[in-house]
Amino acid sequence: MRSNPSFKKNSPSSSLNHVWRRRFAQLLCYSTLFLVFVGGMVKSTDSGLSVPDWPLSYGTFFPPMIGGVFYEHGHRMVAATVGLMTLILAIWLGMTEHRKWVKILGFVALGAVIAQGILGGLTVLFFLPDPISISHAILAQTFFILTILIAYSQSFERETRESAGLQTLHAFFLKACLVFIVIVYSQLILGAWMRHTESGLAIPDFPKMGGYWVPPFNETMLARINDWRFQHNLPLVVMDQVVIHFFHRLMALIIIIILCFLNFIGLKYDQSQKVIIPNIYLLNILVLLQVILGIFTVLSEKSPLTTSAHVMIGAGILGISVLLFLRAAPLEIKQLKSIF
């Protein structure tokens, strides 16, 4: 007797499978965010070469967790767990998901996490070169976006929108969301560049910059900064590092301005949306928290916990921004293309 595909799709076992797949995809998102924090702790504590070999750690799978080894090998353990979870989810989606694009997304995420692991290994083997370390940090953020895309594809919210045919927000809001995502992503790239070029305290004061409200970027400003660094037993910096740090602050200001527009547009056009408005409010809270953490990162002279939390919240802002876009965007690619 021929089986009914629709019956299989709606059967209790299939429904239970979907629920657990949804929960597993969400768990992968949270685990990836935690991995970003753990990776931040490796850099913040200068533990990147505490374990000089790879893929083993001092020739073993589990070395003594002392000193910087705790952070570096701990990072590897969390990364391996996230990698295993991604492999499981990719196979799970490949075997049970009926949408081809979701299956592809699962294997793209798997490819990304494998590439991330290789980059992490090369970072150690080549003694922390800036290009590889920065690429490693950028790919981490990209992988986090992929996990959110997968998790939303499995969400009950998306199913409800599909069945109810819910309308999307104003097209201008979608475009503003996309601009915000691009700016936040660019800021995270700039932040990685700043961290791995040791520019985090290239401007060590706040709210002034090198003693100026409007930095002139001259020799006097650089001398003031290096006098401060000399007094605090820090290596001297060059003007390039000062400029990198300055643009990171400038980008933060641009993000705040665009977020104000998002608030205005979102509240103006679709106050009835039950998920969009809380999402915007959460974004406001995270950006405010991120600004505070950024200030304390400078004033605390890059305290490891504060700095790593700053990195993690930055990733969280990117993730919530992507989620906001997904919640507001049409579900069909054709409709999305028509807007842009």
Side-chain angles (χ1 to χ4, degrees):
M1 183 175 172
R2 202 170 184 179
S3 61
N4 188 340
S6 62
F7 174 78
K8 281 187 176 182
K9 183 178 177 181
N10 297 314
S11 64
S13 60
S14 176
S15 177
L16 185 61
N17 171 70
H18 193 177
V19 168
W20 282 106
R21 196 172 65 203
R22 175 187 300 135
R23 292 174 178 172
F24 193 80
Q26 292 172 349
L27 179 61
L28 178 59
C29 285
Y30 293 122
S31 300
T32 303
L33 190 60
F34 177 65
L35 177 57
V36 170
F37 173 79
V38 173
M41 286 296 294
V42 172
K43 176 60 182 173
S44 299
T45 56
D46 291 322
S47 304
L49 291 179
S50 296
V51 180
D53 53 335
W54 183 84
L56 296 177
S57 300
Y58 288 102
T60 69
F61 287 103
F62 200 87
M65 301 292 278
I66 55 175
V69 178
F70 172 80
Y71 297 106
E72 171 60 19
H73 188 70
H75 174 60
R76 296 185 186 188
M77 292 174 61
V78 177
T81 302
V82 169
L84 179 60
M85 291 175 66
T86 308
L87 173 63
I88 293 172
L89 183 59
I91 295 173
W92 200 344
L93 291 172
M95 295 179 63
T96 62
E97 174 61 61
H98 65 280
R99 293 165 294 181
K100 184 178 179 180
W101 66 270
V102 179
K103 293 183 179 183
I104 293 173
L105 202 57
F107 285 104
V108 169
L110 178 60
V113 82
I114 291 172
Q116 181 72 339
I118 293 172
L119 279 176
L122 292 176
T123 298
V124 172
L125 297 179
F126 287 95
F127 305 105
L128 310 180
D130 289 342
I132 297 179
S133 297
I134 294 170
S135 299
H136 184 62
I138 294 171
L139 186 54
Q141 305 291 346
T142 307
F143 173 72
F144 184 47
I145 292 176
L146 290 172
T147 65
I148 290 172
L149 293 175
I150 294 172
Y152 191 73
S153 75
Q154 304 300 302
S155 68
F156 180 74
E157 178 186 315
R158 193 182 193 281
E159 286 183 355
T160 303
R161 288 181 62 195
E162 274 186 324
S163 60
L166 295 179
Q167 296 297 317
T168 60
L169 286 185
H170 195 273
F172 187 61
F173 179 80
L174 281 178
K175 293 176 181 178
C177 281
L178 186 59
V179 170
F180 187 78
I181 291 170
V182 171
I183 295 296
V184 169
Y185 188 76
S186 301
Q187 172 72 324
L188 294 177
I189 293 174
L190 188 55
W193 189 14
M194 183 179 71
R195 282 168 59 79
H196 290 284
T197 55
E198 304 300 332
S199 304
L201 287 177
I203 299 179
D205 51 338
F206 183 89
K208 289 186 176 182
M209 291 169 280
Y212 297 91
W213 289 105
V214 180
F217 300 108
N218 56 20
E219 291 302 320
T220 303
M221 177 184 177
L222 186 61
R224 284 187 178 184
I225 291 171
N226 280 326
D227 284 345
W228 181 93
R229 293 180 66 88
F230 179 77
Q231 293 170 13
H232 289 77
N233 297 316
L234 294 172
L236 303 185
V237 295
V238 297
M239 188 59 74
D240 288 347
Q241 292 170 286
V242 175
V243 171
I244 291 171
H245 186 110
F246 169 77
F247 273 104
H248 186 66
R249 294 193 187 188
L250 180 61
M251 286 285 282
L253 178 60
I254 293 172
I255 286 172
I256 292 171
I257 293 172
I258 298 176
L259 181 59
C260 291
F261 277 109
L262 275 180
N263 277 267
F264 174 76
I265 300 167
L267 293 173
K268 178 180 179 181
Y269 287 109
D270 278 89
Q271 296 185 27
S272 61
Q273 294 284 344
K274 294 182 178 180
V275 293
I276 298 298
I277 303 305
N279 203 145
I280 293 176
Y281 290 156
L282 177 58
L283 202 53
N284 292 339
I285 293 171
L286 289 179
V287 169
L288 176 61
L289 178 59
Q290 182 72 338
V291 170
I292 294 171
L293 285 171
I295 294 170
F296 276 95
T297 295
V298 173
L299 297 182
S300 68
E301 299 179 24
K302 295 199 305 181
S303 163
L305 281 174
T306 303
T307 305
S308 301
H310 186 58
V311 174
M312 182 184 69
I313 296 300
I317 291 171
L318 178 64
I320 295 300
S321 304
V322 172
L323 182 59
L324 177 62
F325 179 83
L326 293 173
R327 284 172 159 172
L331 299 178
E332 297 294 332
I333 297 296
K334 292 180 180 179
Q335 293 178 325
L336 189 60
K337 287 181 177 179
S338 67
I339 293 175
F340 292 96

